[in-house]
Amino acid sequence: MSTTELPASPEFKANHAELMDGVYRWQRHIYDLTRKYYLLGRDRLIDGLEVPQGGTVLELGCGTGRNIILAARRYPDARFFGLDISAEMLETAGKAIDREGLSGRVTLARGDATDFDTAALYGIERFDRVFVSYSLSMIPGWEKTVSAALAALSPGGSLHVVDFGQQEGLPAWFRTLLRGWLKKFHVTPRESLREVLDSESRQAGATFRFRTLYRGYAWLGVIGPHNLTSPSMEEVAPKARVGVER
């Protein structure tokens, strides 16, 4: 496994990197143990990647490496690339990847998910799959991440996103408690996530599939070509009702 880093970012990006390092300097050691109880839908996303043989996969906001490791096991013929703005998280991810014996297939880089150059970071410009798991809710200017992810796709590639929904099928008290808890970690569920993904898919001339999970606790979206199918997703019209998985 190799880790690369681009030259210093503008001040606001550096400040965000410092914030993330501060938040996760200690949290990273128990992150996977605690987050498994409330970062729901991540494994569903990984199963739905359907990476082609010998394909390339980029994760934006790879954190501790939990997802990229599971995906690398799930798709043993693919190569994986992870990006994160936090040096602390990348340190944890690098160690985990080494322990799993995946160093030959996984490359990590430090960078901003809203503005990155994959050719400079990895020596590769396009990917068959790009996925973002519970990171958009932490990224300032997260809409730019969606645009940048789509720009990094190979022809016929797909973008997969899972993040907090609006808890629309859950009691109001639960939503209030959850939002208060998430705020402590600088996490803000994106109310316009579905609309942004839909708009970006239209501009790209791609399909958009969306699903609410666990009564709206989480949202899962896929932007991809017309021939991409997944048993866990349904293609929906912009204003169609979407089934709720309970």
Side-chain angles (χ1 to χ4, degrees):
M1 180 204 67
S2 61
T3 303
T4 57
E5 184 172 353
L6 286 178
S9 301
E11 183 178 357
F12 81 96
K13 293 182 181 179
N15 289 342
H16 183 58
E18 184 177 353
L19 172 64
M20 291 297 97
D21 279 342
V23 169
Y24 293 113
R25 182 163 288 115
W26 303 112
Q27 278 285 322
R28 63 192 172 100
H29 299 295
I30 59 171
Y31 186 92
D32 291 332
L33 179 63
T34 57
R35 266 58 174 184
K36 69 180 181 180
Y37 296 108
Y38 64 90
L39 297 188
L40 308 178
R42 295 179 296 173
D43 293 348
R44 179 184 288 267
L45 178 150
I46 291 170
D47 288 342
L49 288 175
E50 300 179 359
V51 183
Q53 181 112 13
T56 53
V57 182
L58 171 65
E59 180 182 10
L60 300 176
C62 63
T64 61
R66 183 265 187 193
N67 296 324
I68 211 166
I69 288 172
L70 289 181
R73 291 178 186 160
R74 176 75 171 76
Y75 306 99
D77 296 320
R79 290 182 295 150
F80 290 83
F81 303 84
L83 182 79
D84 204 280
I85 201 168
S86 170
E88 299 286 344
M89 285 297 225
L90 286 172
E91 180 182 350
T92 296
K95 291 178 179 178
I97 289 165
D98 287 341
R99 284 197 304 269
E100 294 292 329
L102 295 171
S103 301
R105 290 200 295 122
V106 180
T107 301
L108 301 180
R110 190 181 186 195
D112 189 325
T114 66
D115 183 16
F116 54 89
D117 182 345
T118 56
L121 290 168
Y122 310 112
I124 180 173
E125 294 186 359
R126 297 288 183 267
F127 303 84
D128 297 300
R129 301 288 183 267
V130 178
F131 71 95
V132 193
S133 171
Y134 285 96
S135 293
L136 294 181
S137 52
M138 301 187 69
I139 298 174
W142 61 274
E143 298 91 341
K144 295 179 181 178
T145 298
V146 177
S147 299
L150 290 173
L153 285 176
S154 299
S158 58
L159 168 63
H160 302 246
V161 174
V162 67
D163 215 311
F164 291 104
Q166 294 298 298
Q167 300 82 51
E168 55 268 31
L170 294 167
W173 62 263
F174 180 87
R175 173 176 170 150
T176 300
L177 288 176
L178 179 64
R179 295 301 178 92
W181 171 253
L182 294 178
K183 188 175 181 180
K184 297 177 184 292
F185 302 99
H186 305 277
V187 175
T188 304
R190 306 305 186 186
E191 185 176 359
S192 62
L193 176 60
R194 181 180 182 181
E195 287 73 18
V196 169
L197 293 176
D198 182 33
S199 175
E200 291 285 351
S201 69
R202 289 175 180 273
Q203 293 182 46
T207 59
F208 172 51
R209 287 167 292 142
F210 184 88
R211 192 170 183 84
T212 61
L213 305 176
Y214 313 110
R215 300 174 65 185
Y217 180 92
W219 287 351
L220 177 63
V222 176
I223 297 176
H226 287 271
N227 62 350
L228 182 69
T229 60
S230 173
S232 62
M233 296 290 293
E234 296 176 358
E235 186 173 329
V236 297
K239 294 184 179 180
R241 283 189 68 184
V242 181
V244 176
E245 179 181 341
R246 300 180 183 276

